[in-house]
């Protein structure tokens, strides 16, 4: 996500792009398994970049190697929020 933003003149460097990740665990056959992961990105950006960021976010999971690897077994959801600079 950060590389795609940088390629489109967004600034995700030096810790500006942050995320909070939560997971949901359920019992399955007597053991615990991760069933869902939610990643919420926060990025300081002007509203002028919001359309570009939304477009990148919408295609992010399809290009992310981690999401692509885990997706067959775990429901992965992402969201983003523009925060004031």
């Amino acid at each position: 996500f950060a590389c795609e933003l940088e390629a489109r003149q967004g600034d995700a460097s030096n810790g500006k792009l942050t995320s909070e990740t939560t997971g949901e665990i359920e019992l399955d056959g007597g053991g615990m398994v991760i069933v869902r992961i939610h990643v919420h990105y926060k990025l300081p950006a002007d509203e002028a970049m919001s359309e570009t960021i939304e477009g990148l976010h919408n295609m992010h999971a399809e290009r992310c190697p981690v999401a692509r690897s885990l997706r067959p077994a775990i429901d992965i959801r992402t969201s983003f929020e523009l925060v004031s600079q």
Side-chain angles (χ1 to χ4, degrees):
F1 193 44
C3 291
E4 294 288 339
L5 286 168
E6 293 281 337
R8 288 161 181 80
Q9 309 310 312
D11 187 5
S13 64
N14 299 318
K16 290 183 179 108
L17 174 64
T18 62
S19 67
E20 182 176 303
T21 304
T22 56
E24 295 179 37
I25 299 172
E26 294 180 1
L27 289 175
D28 181 20
M32 296 190 306
V33 295
I34 300 169
V35 293
R36 272 177 291 292
I37 295 172
H38 184 259
V39 181
H40 181 71
Y41 294 103
K42 291 183 181 180
L43 177 68
D46 296 327
E47 280 296 319
M49 285 289 296
S50 65
E51 191 173 314
T52 299
I53 293 169
E54 183 173 0
L56 292 173
H57 174 260
N58 289 340
M59 66 179 175
H60 166 62
E62 295 300 318
R63 294 183 176 187
C64 174
V66 174
R68 292 177 61 202
S69 298
L70 298 176
R71 183 178 41 219
I74 300 171
D75 179 26
I76 300 174
R77 299 172 188 194
T78 63
S79 59
F80 76 94
E81 173 184 359
L82 299 181
V83 295
S84 58
Q85 296 189 43

